[in-house]
Amino acid sequence: MENIVEVFELRKKFGEVEAIRSINFHMKKGEILGLLGPNGAGKTTTLHMLLGLTTPTSGQINVLGFDATKRDEEMLKRLNFSSSYVALPYSLTVVENLTVFARLYEVPNYKEKINSLIEIFDIEDIRFEPTRRLSSGQVTRVSLAKALLNDPEVLFLDEPTASLDPDIADKTRTLLKNLNKTKGLSILYTSHNMNEMENLCDRVILLDKGEIKAYGTIDEILEEFKEKTLEEVFLKVARA
């Protein structure tokens, strides 16, 4: 199966702190790959380097066949990103935010696409509300809608369900599974929800202190660590 993301000997230092220490991994086309680790493990730094927002100290990143560090416009058109921790412009309404991004992404028939995503994420009642008035869960849903505007081939998600109530979180996971299955959407997914990772991901990377401690299918990782659940593996690594 074709690799859609490839990472070779990736390192990142901030001053004397080595946040990422020569990691190697790949994501297959049509795969949901989980990126798991305690706070400070280097997950967000890794995502930012994949997106070209942070320059690696050394190493190579290929996304869709492009050098991610060069932030090629063609590459950026074919991927997207959502995080529970990234703010949208506060003074714009929900529909204005989505319209701005849709026009930036050059989305054809963008009004229809926006209306479809507003319905999918159940944000019709807040479409004319300024973003500053939204709850964290509502902002997360708007951010997820924004991330799907351009029908990306690769989607990077940083704890996308962290602020969602159980019902909306379940609907979001179901939507992502369906997009993965029907459109072959490749997803790199970070979360602290172990059940979510076990139920959603084809393979998982367990990152700690900037190093990959485990990498493979859930069954392979459980066998390697002689544990019954991913949470037990996580705790073993985090407390080592």
Side-chain angles (χ1 to χ4, degrees), residues 153-168:
E153 296 174 49
V154 184
L155 188 58
F156 299 118
L157 298 177
D158 189 11
E159 299 192 42
T161 62
S163 59
L164 301 180
D165 65 50
D167 178 51
I168 297 298

Side-chain angles (χ1 to χ4, degrees), residues 35-46:
L35 184 58
L36 178 65
N39 292 333
K43 302 186 301 297
T44 299
T45 298
T46 299

Side-chain angles (χ1 to χ4, degrees), residues 19-102:
I20 298 296
R21 304 177 180 184
S22 296
I23 64 173
N24 296 274
F25 67 88
H26 66 273
M27 182 167 71
K28 302 172 186 177
K29 186 175 182 178
E31 176 179 42
I32 301 179
L33 179 64
L35 184 58
L36 178 65
N39 292 333
K43 302 186 301 297
T44 299
T45 298
T46 299
L47 280 176
H48 284 179
M49 287 191 284
L50 291 171
L51 288 162
L53 300 175
T54 297
T55 303
T57 301
S58 62
Q60 178 69 31
I61 305 170
N62 298 326
V63 178
L64 292 163
F66 298 92
D67 181 347
T69 62
K70 295 181 179 179
R71 291 183 56 77
D72 188 282
E73 184 176 332
E74 180 60 30
M75 179 193 80
L76 294 174
K77 285 181 179 179
R78 296 165 61 188
L79 57 84
N80 217 312
F81 167 74
S82 179
S83 172
S84 295
Y85 311 109
V86 174
L88 296 168
Y90 281 166
S91 61
L92 299 182
T93 66
V94 168
V95 74
E96 287 171 341
N97 263 294
L98 294 176
T99 298
V100 167
F101 283 106

